[in-house]
């Protein structure tokens, strides 16, 4: 067993300030972000935000880790069969132990979304299904006039990563992806393109927290 000491919270914050600046780090530390869906998009978004020093992450997913998830999602082979929310929490604590985490092992619905998301400053949509994506957009834009939603559409296949981009749809809705490719068209999901889209979402969240609302 590795018994090497974990750096202190103060040491990690000092390292973040050295790389990101004290002002940016303080703003990120004060923010709470909800991630709805912890698959290829959500698990990668969570890792990026945790490493960047987000103060609190709300992690929501009802699914379990499947062996087919391992090629693009932030899980280990030893975690197959575990609830995604709990498995991702364990992995996140290894890389960012001082982030505050709130875990919900349940499905986001129109009925429970307000309860699950009320404490978040920004919400990330990371679902697979189009109907779930539409539901979350409707709930956030209608029920939370003060919140911004960062969503995704189109990241399947082996196409150029340059087609994945971020668009500002409205003042409170940002959409990342190529807007075209879909697994329903018998196009598979590949790790690099999914991770590119997740990186767009994570970066958009960070820029919004820092007050940069352009794309």
């Amino acid at each position: 067993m590795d018994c090497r000491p974990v750096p202190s919270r103060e040491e990690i914050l000092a390292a973040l300030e050295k790389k990101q600046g004290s002002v940016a780090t303080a703003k990120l530390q004060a923010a709470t972000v909800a991630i709805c869906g912890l698959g290829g998009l959500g698990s990668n978004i969570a890792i990026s935000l945790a490493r960047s020093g987000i103060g609190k992450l709300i992690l929501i997913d009802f699914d379990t880790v499947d062996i087919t998830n391992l090629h693009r999602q932030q899980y280990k082979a030893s975690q197959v069969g575990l609830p995604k929310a709990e498995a991702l929490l364990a992995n996140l604590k290894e890389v960012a132990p001082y982030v505050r985490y709130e875990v919900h092992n349940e499905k986001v619905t129109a009925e429970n979304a307000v309860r699950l998301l009320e404490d978040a400053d920004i919400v990330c949509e990371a679902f697979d299904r189009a109907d779930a994506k539409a539901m979350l957009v409707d709930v956030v834009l209608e029920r939370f006039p003060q919140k911004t939603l960062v969503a995704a559409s189109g990241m399947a296949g082996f196409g150029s990563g340059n087609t994945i981009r971020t668009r500002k749809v409205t003042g409170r809705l940002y959409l990342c992806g190529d807007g075209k490719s879909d697994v329903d068209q018998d196009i598979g999901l590949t790790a690099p393109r999914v991770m590119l889209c997740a990186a767009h979402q994570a970066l958009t969240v960070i820029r919004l927290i820092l007050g940069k609302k352009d794309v």
Side-chain angles (χ1 to χ4, degrees), residues 127-208:
F127 293 139
D128 295 327
R129 294 173 56 93
D131 57 345
K133 291 174 179 286
M135 176 276 297
L136 192 63
V137 170
D138 289 343
V139 168
V140 173
L141 296 186
E142 292 177 8
R143 302 292 297 276
F144 294 113
Q146 78 283 14
K147 299 187 192 302
T148 301
L149 177 66
V150 179
S153 176
M155 72 230 50
F158 294 93
S160 171
N162 294 330
T163 62
I164 293 177
R165 61 191 185 96
T166 301
R167 293 185 294 119
K168 184 178 182 179
V169 180
T170 71
R172 296 191 296 115
L173 174 61
Y174 291 76
L175 189 61
C176 305
D178 62 28
K180 297 178 180 180
S181 63
D182 195 319
V183 291
D184 289 338
Q185 301 168 340
D186 292 326
I187 305 173
L189 292 168
T190 60
R193 291 195 103 233
V194 172
M195 293 174 73
L196 273 171
C197 189
H200 270 260
Q201 288 184 267
L203 182 57
T204 299
V205 169
I206 290 170
R207 287 176 55 79
L208 290 169

Side-chain angles (χ1 to χ4, degrees), residues 1-210:
M1 179 180 294
D2 191 343
C3 297
R4 284 176 292 183
V6 174
S8 68
R9 182 178 186 275
E10 291 71 23
E11 289 173 322
I12 289 180
L13 282 177
L16 284 171
E17 290 176 354
K18 183 177 180 180
K19 295 297 183 181
Q20 301 177 167
S22 58
V23 173
T25 299
K27 289 181 178 181
L28 293 168
Q29 281 281 292
T32 297
V33 178
I35 304 175
C36 301
L38 303 176
L41 290 173
S43 64
N44 282 292
I45 293 168
I47 290 288
S48 289
L49 293 180
R51 289 188 184 278
S52 299
I54 289 291
K56 181 178 178 180
L57 286 176
I58 300 172
L59 309 172
I60 313 169
D61 201 306
F62 68 97
D63 205 358
T64 57
V65 180
D66 186 83
I67 192 171
T68 61
N69 301 151
L70 298 180
H71 85 292
R72 69 188 187 282
Q73 302 183 17
Q74 291 291 336
Y75 301 104
K76 305 172 185 177
S78 61
Q79 293 176 318
V80 170
L82 295 178
K84 285 186 176 180
E86 296 175 16
L88 185 59
L89 175 63
N91 296 344
L92 286 166
K93 284 184 174 180
E94 290 187 21
V95 298
Y98 304 110
V99 173
R100 289 175 290 127
Y101 299 103
E102 179 181 320
V103 173
H104 297 277
N105 187 16
E106 58 184 300
K107 183 176 182 178
V108 181
T109 67
E111 291 69 36
N112 66 15
V114 171
R115 169 176 59 84
L116 294 172
L117 304 176
E118 60 184 351
D119 292 335
D121 301 308
I122 298 174
V123 178
C124 283
E125 177 275 307
F127 293 139
D128 295 327
R129 294 173 56 93
D131 57 345
K133 291 174 179 286
M135 176 276 297
L136 192 63
V137 170
D138 289 343
V139 168
V140 173
L141 296 186
E142 292 177 8
R143 302 292 297 276
F144 294 113
Q146 78 283 14
K147 299 187 192 302
T148 301
L149 177 66
V150 179
S153 176
M155 72 230 50
F158 294 93
S160 171
N162 294 330
T163 62
I164 293 177
R165 61 191 185 96
T166 301
R167 293 185 294 119
K168 184 178 182 179
V169 180
T170 71
R172 296 191 296 115
L173 174 61
Y174 291 76
L175 189 61
C176 305
D178 62 28
K180 297 178 180 180
S181 63
D182 195 319
V183 291
D184 289 338
Q185 301 168 340
D186 292 326
I187 305 173
L189 292 168
T190 60
R193 291 195 103 233
V194 172
M195 293 174 73
L196 273 171
C197 189
H200 270 260
Q201 288 184 267
L203 182 57
T204 299
V205 169
I206 290 170
R207 287 176 55 79
L208 290 169
I209 292 169
L210 299 183

